[in-house]
Amino acid sequence: MPAMVEPPFSNPLFSSKISHNLKSVHCSSQAPNFLPIRYNNRVTTTACSCSAENVDPAPVLLPHSIVFSRNPNLSSDISNRTTKDRREVVRLAWEKLVRWSRSWRSKAKTDDVLERTNKVVVLGGGSFGTAMAAHVGNRKSHLEVNMLVRDPRICQSINKKHCNIKYFPEHKLPKNVVATTDTKAALLNADFCLHAVPVQFSSSFLEGIADCVDPGLPFISLSKGLELNTLRMMSQIIPRALGNPRQPYIVLSGPSFALELMNNLPTAMVVASKDKKLAKAAQQLLASTNLRISTSSDVTGVEIAGALKNVLAIAAGIVEGMNLGNNSMAALVAQGCSEIRWLATKMGAKSTTITGLSGTGDIMLTCFVNLSRNRTVGVRLGSGENLDDILRSMNQVAEGVSTAGAVIALAQKYNVKMPVLTAVARIIDNELTPQKAVRELMSLPQGNTMNDCGYPIQGES
């Protein structure tokens, strides 16, 4: 009878030798194969042929384990070779990636921008401004990094103790990082300016120093949020406040906690500018072995994601503070991501920006990690604390609190429905309790799940 045997493997990664061994168990129409088979303690020989003349009237199906019983080590040998072949494929793929990376780096220009840069000024003495000042200072020992601060105590601690006594008392700053309260001295002959002043104070601050700012000085904005009354982003605030619509502008954003930057932990961020050469220059200035910098031309997408993720982080914190569980957290953040994408794309942003490093990457960090100031505010709100008491106890600004109302006004302007972020704004305004907000969100109409994820309502009307 013909032994009906199916080869145990059909992976194209197998070597030709293994394939050749397996062919011996296939049927042939030209010459029958005889396979010794042990059955009921007797060794019999079975002919295998696909010709009609040799078909046994009472066929018996023999499993391949019986067929290979004469060589019990064959299956193990095939398995070992499969593992070896798989590892070889992985090794070759990795080596190809490394070769591509080395080739790309060898063709890329050297860090000529860093070589030409002699002075960088950082506006603001907060945690992130301090971390970026330290990072830039470590890029080149003879690079002068000036921090313009308003608190004399912080200024003195940076210059005498080489630390920011308020935010990083145990972290030493590079010796080329100095602080001053003198605006003219800080901005004189600066090649780049890192703006780290909170969004709600930026307009008045910049208007006060406008006379000292060179019209060609590139501003790299580290601030995230929307101006409450005007709904402007930093790309609109800075040129307007300085009275120079052509002020060179770059936005830096992405998943990055100041503490981890100070500890030199691997981080990845995005610089975005409408001027590709300017974005490239910022990349060359900031990129290092610990900080990976990608470039983008989607300024709106990077800024709106950076602003709205703070509001979503408050919502995530509320869910945590109310102990609503992981299911609720996942549903809420997924819905929030959709709402951010709906608004951003209506404003002209690219959806790929929102799903990328400066969008989803930053959202995940801010929503799920305890170091997030905005998430902390949400946790305390969900636990029943009063917002005013929460803000009074914090020594840093949670931008999501002031941004929430602006986000909803912006959503109304672009006619976009944002249930989760609207609920946050209502809670912050003390017009809705977290408990009632959850009930309202869960009772929204059940819609078509084939649309955007989360609460099944249309993102756009």
Side-chain angles (χ1 to χ4, degrees):
M1 59 151 282
M4 301 178 66
V5 180
E6 178 179 321
F9 306 103
S10 59
N11 194 310
L13 297 181
F14 290 161
S15 65
S16 59
K17 184 176 180 181
I18 297 175
S19 300
H20 177 74
N21 290 338
L22 291 177
K23 288 178 182 178
S24 63
V25 302
H26 286 288
C27 298
S28 170
S29 60
Q30 297 178 357
N33 295 318
F34 293 91
L35 303 175
I37 300 173
R38 183 174 298 278
Y39 184 70
N40 289 336
N41 295 323
R42 294 182 302 164
V43 177
T44 62
T45 303
T46 302
C48 179
S49 175
C50 292
S51 60
E53 297 84 356
N54 295 326
V55 176
D56 195 302
V60 179
L61 302 182
L62 300 177
H64 65 269
S65 59
I66 298 178
V67 174
F68 290 127
S69 62
R70 67 172 179 173
N71 189 357
N73 295 323
L74 181 58
S75 179
S76 175
D77 182 58
I78 291 174
S79 177
N80 291 337
R81 292 188 183 187
T82 303
T83 301
K84 185 177 180 180
D85 289 341
R86 177 186 57 77
R87 289 178 177 176
E88 180 67 11
V89 169
V90 173
R91 184 185 67 81
L92 291 175
W94 178 254
E95 289 182 353
K96 184 177 180 180
L97 178 65
V98 171
R99 286 196 302 271
W100 166 81
S101 177
R102 289 172 180 170
S103 175
W104 186 89
R105 290 200 305 267
S106 66
K107 294 177 182 177
K109 294 181 179 179
T110 57
D111 292 344
D112 52 346
V113 170
L114 181 63
E115 292 301 318
R116 295 196 310 266
T117 301
N118 297 312
K119 182 178 179 179
V120 174
V121 60
V122 179
L123 305 180
S127 59
F128 202 76
T130 302
M132 289 305 299
H135 173 75
V136 174
N138 283 322
R139 292 281 284 135
K140 191 169 72 170
S141 60
H142 58 277
L143 176 65
E144 183 181 352
V145 181
N146 276 22
M147 293 182 64
L148 180 61
V149 300
R150 62 175 181 173
D151 189 337
R153 291 191 313 113
I154 293 178
C155 183
Q156 188 177 22
S157 69
I158 291 174
N159 292 334
K160 291 187 176 182
K161 299 180 180 179
H162 300 291
C163 71
N164 187 323
I165 195 171
K166 184 176 182 180
Y167 298 106
F168 298 112
E170 298 179 358
H171 289 77
K172 288 294 182 182
L173 296 172
K175 293 183 178 179
N176 57 338
V177 174
V178 296
T180 181
T181 56
D182 187 337
T183 302
K184 289 184 179 180
L187 289 166
L188 183 64
N189 298 324
D191 297 301
F192 285 92
C193 176
L194 273 62
H195 180 91
V197 178
V199 173
Q200 306 309 322
F201 307 105
S202 290
S203 286
S204 58
F205 170 78
L206 291 170
E207 288 170 0
I209 68 170
D211 292 339
C212 303
V213 176
D214 188 288
L217 177 63
F219 267 67
I220 303 175
S221 175
L222 314 181
S223 307
K224 299 178 181 179
L226 297 170
E227 197 170 47
L228 186 56
N229 296 325
T230 66
L231 310 183
R232 296 189 189 110
M233 297 178 290
M234 288 305 303
S235 58
Q236 300 164 313
I237 293 171
I238 290 177
R240 187 180 183 91
L242 295 177
N244 179 19
R246 295 184 178 274
Q247 192 77 44
Y249 178 81
I250 311 108
V251 57
L252 174 70
S253 189
S256 51
F257 284 138
L259 178 61
E260 295 190 2
L261 281 173
M262 289 293 287
N263 289 333
N264 296 317
L265 296 178
T267 302
M269 302 180 73
V270 176
V271 288
S273 177
K274 294 180 180 178
D275 184 337
K276 292 183 178 180
K277 290 183 179 179
L278 199 55
K280 189 69 175 178
Q283 181 187 50
Q284 291 184 2
L285 175 70
L286 301 175
S288 71
T289 54
N290 296 318
L291 180 57
R292 179 180 173 84
I293 300 289
S294 301
T295 62
S296 172
S297 59
D298 187 8
V299 174
T300 299
V302 171
E303 285 195 311
I304 202 68
L308 271 61
K309 61 95 181 180
N310 286 328
V311 184
L312 181 56
I314 294 175
I318 291 172
V319 169
E320 181 70 20
M322 295 178 67
N323 296 314
L324 297 182
N326 298 318
N327 294 349
S328 296
M329 181 69 76
L332 175 114
V333 174
Q335 170 67 19
C337 288
S338 291
E339 293 179 14
I340 292 172
R341 187 180 70 254
W342 294 334
L343 179 58
T345 52
K346 267 295 191 72
M347 296 176 66
K350 299 175 182 177
S351 59
T352 51
T353 302
I354 308 305
T355 57
L357 188 65
S358 59
T360 303
D362 210 358
I363 289 169
M364 289 191 292
L365 184 77
T366 314
C367 288
F368 300 141
V369 182
N370 290 331
L371 287 174
S372 167
R373 298 189 297 268
N374 293 282
R375 184 182 186 276
T376 299
V377 170
V379 170
R380 296 175 68 177
L381 283 171
S383 301
E385 291 189 53
N386 179 272
L387 179 61
D388 292 334
D389 294 337
I390 296 171
L391 298 181
R392 274 195 296 266
S393 67
M394 298 177 67
N395 67 346
Q396 298 186 66
V397 177
E399 285 282 7
V401 174
S402 54
T403 299
V407 168
I408 305 312
L410 203 59
Q412 293 294 320
K413 178 181 177 180
Y414 286 92
N415 200 22
V416 177
K417 294 184 179 72
M418 307 179 77
V420 167
L421 300 191
T422 302
V424 173
R426 296 279 289 173
I427 292 171
I428 288 174
D429 291 341
N430 201 29
E431 295 178 355
L432 193 66
T433 65
Q435 291 77 13
K436 187 173 182 179
V438 171
R439 290 196 298 270
E440 292 291 338
L441 290 173
M442 289 301 295
S443 63
L444 287 170
Q446 306 293 325
N448 183 0
T449 57
M450 295 302 292
N451 292 332
D452 287 285
C453 61
Y455 296 103
I457 68 170
Q458 292 295 329
E460 304 168 304
S461 60

